[in-house]
């Protein structure tokens, strides 16, 4: 007769057979190995008492009820080994029912899945990490199946090739058609070579989108193989490197230009120093004229033997202010002396007048006799150019927000090198920096002018002569001069030879504070001229401020000065303001 215990021992998984109440009847060898209990130790005991931790027994009881009712329960569960070590197992409990449908036994199959679940979690984590890495690197992925010829792209890779999501038809031919014609053969050779050698590959190439846009991509692929070592296709990822390639190409072009002359290292060093000097010069300038002077002198000799800065004084001007710098101060005096012979002509067809009028740069890398003869100039002007022995010149507009406000001119003589395209670009950058600084200076000057004008309108233009009394005032405005202060003062005659003295402080600065200041001064003067006493004047001001609901508050000291034959009396009232200080002749206060 077949031995049931021997059959169960032959099975590769732990088998536990219980009666309907969960008491163990059979326990195979795999169960002994998995849980550490022998069959003799556990037969007759409840499975939950042997294997389930106390906190989990309620769940185990619910599972037992499910199975007793005729259903199969399958899932992961944490059980205990004999030594108390918890173990994650996969469990399948199935009922055994008699002819009447009663559950007479339960067969439980279990398997240690601790390591498997850890591996699954690691795989999930790795998948998530890969997804995050792909997202962070903006990488698109692909898979090519050689057996079917199908190529699978994700949505990001479709976008990298200029396709809408889901529109790639999965054919290798379509992929090839999107490669730039000039790069197609090279890319295919790299892929074919990788397949032939069973190696990974990297390739940078251009793609041409359906709308004609050209982008640079970098692809990295890995050849896939079956268990016999046969190539089955490729997998990999791709990213857009257009900005990087364009930047690299631009840098290579600049480097190639720099290598054209043996002294390029010195030139680059001078340019860096020049940019630093220009920034320092601009930063140190307090006004436009100082900026012109600083820039002109900072440019010599770093970027030329001559530097001329032209700035139109205002929008309506056609004749600019001019600042000249040269390596030899005597040449500056010589140039100034030429201004009467060759005055600035705003309608001149060439030169700085043309640059300022049109906003177009003039660049002469080489000034030779042929160039001078072609200039639309008088013979005297041509002779002057020959006398100056000019070798190379750059003239660029100084412009801001589409409006030309001046120009920058740099000149080399016979003792210096020729200008290059790099020098022209540098001059444009310096001119743009100058334009921004002049614009900011003019804006600040305009703000200061407005603030000063408004501030002056809120203060008396002069102090009156009071018989027998010396009156003086000193007023300090805080900040940078672009905000109207909230402090005010006034001295004016009232009635019967008396004089009103006012000192006030409005909270804050700016237009709102200025409005409160104007209201306060006029209200005080009006009340005083009506003959109100000190307290009544301040009450009138208080009512006016509350009625207007101006926002900021102010503090005021208002007093009445009465000159007398023996001196003067001063009666005052304070509205939140510190009291005035009496400075006596003996120095006490």
């Amino acid at each position: 007769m077949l031995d049931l215990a021997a059959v169960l021992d032959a099975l590769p998984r732990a088998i536990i057979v219980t009666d309907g109440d969960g008491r163990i009847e059979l326990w195979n060898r795999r169960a002994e190995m998995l849980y550490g209990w022998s069959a003799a130790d556990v037969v007759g005991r409840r499975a939950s008492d042997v294997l389930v931790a106390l906190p989990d027994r309620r769940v185990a009881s619910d599972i037992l009820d499910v199975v007793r009712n005729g259903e199969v329960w399958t899932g992961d569960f944490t059980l205990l080994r004999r030594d108390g070590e918890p173990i994650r197992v996969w469990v399948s409990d199935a009922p055994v029912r008699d002819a009447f449908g009663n559950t007479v036994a339960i067969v439980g199959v279990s398997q240690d899945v601790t390591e498997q679940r850890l591996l699954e979690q690691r795989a999930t984590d790795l998948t998530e990490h890969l997804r995050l890495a792909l997202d962070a690197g903006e990488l698109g992925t692909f898979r090519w199946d050689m057996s079917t010829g199908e190529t699978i792209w994700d949505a990001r890779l479709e976008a990298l090739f200029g396709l809408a999501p889901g529109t790639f038809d999965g054919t290798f031919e379509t992929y090839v058609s999107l490669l730039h014609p000039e790069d197609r053969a090279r890319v295919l050779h790299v892929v074919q070579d990788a397949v032939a050698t069973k190696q990974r590959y990297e390739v940078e190439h251009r793609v041409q989108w359906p709308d004609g846009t050209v982008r640079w991509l970098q692809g990295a692929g890995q050849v896939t193989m079956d268990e016999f070592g046969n190539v089955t296709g490729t997998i990999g990822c791709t990213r857009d490197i257009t900005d990087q390639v364009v930047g690299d190409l631009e840098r290579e072009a600049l480097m190639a230009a720099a290598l054209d002359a043996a002294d390029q290292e010195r030139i680059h060093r001078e340019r860096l120093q020049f940019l630093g000097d220009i920034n320092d010069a601009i930063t140190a300038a307090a006004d436009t004229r100082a900026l012109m002077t600083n820039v002109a002198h900072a440019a010599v000799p770093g970027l030329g033997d001559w530097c001329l800065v032209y700035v139109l004084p205002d929008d309506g001007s056609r004749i600019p202010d001019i600042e000249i710098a040269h390596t030899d101060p005597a040449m500056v005096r010589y140039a100034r002396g030429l201004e009467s012979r060759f005055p600035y002509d705003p309608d001149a067809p060439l030169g700085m007048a043309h640059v300022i009028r049109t906003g177009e740069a003039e660049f002469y890398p080489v000034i030779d006799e042929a160039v001078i003869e072609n200039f639309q100039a008088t013979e005297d002007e041509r002779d002057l150019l020959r006398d100056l022995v000019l070798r190379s010149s750059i003239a660029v507009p100084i412009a801001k927000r589409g409006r030309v406000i001046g120009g920058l001119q740099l000149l080399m003589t016979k003792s210096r090198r020729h200008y290059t395209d790099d020098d022209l670009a540098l001059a444009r950058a310096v001119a743009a920096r100058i334009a921004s600084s002049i614009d900011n200076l003019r804006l600040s000057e305009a703000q200061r002018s407005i603030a000063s004008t408004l501030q002056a309108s809120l203060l008396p233009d002069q102090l009156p002569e009071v018989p027998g009394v010396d009156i003086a005032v000193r007023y300090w405005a805080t900040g940078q001069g672009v905000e109207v202060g909230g402090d005010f003062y006034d001295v004016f005659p009232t009635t019967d030879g008396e004089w009103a003295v006012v000192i006030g402080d409005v909270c804050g600065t700016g237009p709102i504070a200025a409005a409160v200041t104007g209201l306060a001064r006029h209200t005080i003067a009006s009340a005083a001229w009506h003959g109100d006493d000190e307290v009544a004047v301040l009450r009138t001001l208080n009512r006016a401020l509350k009625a207007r609901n101006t926002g900021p508050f102010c503090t005021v000291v208002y007093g009445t000065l009465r000159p007398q034959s023996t001196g003067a009396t001063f009666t005052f009232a304070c509205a939140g303001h510190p009291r005035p200080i009496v400075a006596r002749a003996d120095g006490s206060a």
Side-chain angles (χ1 to χ4, degrees), residues 144-337:
W144 173 43
D145 189 333
M146 287 181 60
S147 62
T148 64
E150 183 183 24
T151 303
I152 300 174
W153 290 359
D154 63 12
R156 180 174 281 116
L157 189 59
E158 288 181 307
L160 292 176
F161 277 80
L163 301 177
T167 59
F168 177 58
D169 62 8
T171 65
F172 187 74
E173 290 73 20
T174 299
Y175 158 66
V176 173
S177 71
L178 294 171
L179 297 174
H180 193 279
E182 297 178 7
D183 296 345
R184 192 172 294 157
R186 177 174 58 85
V187 173
L188 294 179
H189 174 75
V190 171
V191 176
Q192 292 165 359
D193 185 65
V195 172
T197 59
K198 302 178 181 180
Q199 299 291 327
R200 69 185 307 274
Y201 67 90
E202 291 185 6
V203 61
E204 295 182 3
H205 61 89
R206 289 166 292 175
V207 294
Q208 190 163 351
W209 290 3
D211 64 1
T213 301
V214 175
R215 304 290 294 178
W216 276 92
L217 302 182
Q218 181 185 61
Q222 176 67 54
V223 174
T224 59
M225 293 178 286
D226 60 20
E227 64 272 22
F228 304 107
N230 299 315
V231 176
T232 60
T234 60
I235 59 172
C237 57
T238 301
R239 68 187 182 102
D240 190 304
I241 58 168
T242 303
D243 293 341
Q244 174 185 333
V245 170
V246 171
D248 289 343
L249 292 175
E250 291 176 350
R251 285 189 290 273
E252 290 173 4
L254 291 174
M255 183 61 70
L259 295 176
D260 288 342
D263 62 343
Q264 285 302 302
E265 181 180 356
R266 174 180 54 81
I267 294 172
H268 284 304
R269 187 167 58 250
E270 289 176 353
R271 285 175 179 158
L272 289 174
Q273 181 62 47
F274 169 73
L275 285 175
D277 292 344
I278 288 293
N279 284 330
D280 292 343
I282 290 175
T283 302
D287 54 40
T288 301
R289 190 74 218 192
L291 184 145
M292 295 170 61
T293 302
N294 292 354
V295 168
H297 287 82
V300 173
L303 203 62
D305 298 306
W306 291 91
C307 178
L308 294 88
V309 182
Y310 299 73
V311 175
L312 297 171
D314 51 58
D315 291 342
S317 299
R318 300 189 69 207
I319 306 299
D321 295 329
I322 305 174
E323 184 63 37
I324 304 173
H326 189 274
T327 52
D328 181 0
M331 291 301 294
V332 176
R333 293 190 293 272
Y334 171 71
R336 292 295 184 191

Side-chain angles (χ1 to χ4, degrees), residues 50-66:
V50 175
L51 299 173
V52 181
L54 285 175
D56 298 331
R57 289 187 182 178
R58 187 54 170 278
V59 177
S61 176
D62 293 341
I63 294 173
L64 180 62
D65 290 341
V66 170

Side-chain angles (χ1 to χ4, degrees), residues 68-116:
R68 273 198 299 233
N69 288 332
E71 298 181 25
V72 176
W73 186 90
T74 301
D76 282 8
F77 206 89
T78 300
L79 299 177
L80 297 177
R81 293 172 53 85
R82 182 170 186 169
D83 58 6
E85 177 187 355
I87 181 173
R88 190 74 174 178
V89 295
W90 172 84
V91 177
S92 179
D93 290 336
V96 177
R97 315 190 78 177
D98 60 16
F100 302 102
N102 299 316
T103 299
V104 295
I106 296 173
V107 178
V109 181
S110 57
Q111 180 180 352
D112 184 358
V113 292
T114 303
E115 188 66 25
Q116 178 182 344

Side-chain angles (χ1 to χ4, degrees), residues 377-390:
T378 65
E379 191 59 39
D380 287 344
E381 289 171 339
R382 291 193 182 97
D383 289 342
L384 174 62
L385 294 176
R386 295 185 183 97
D387 291 342
L388 292 175
V389 197
L390 299 181

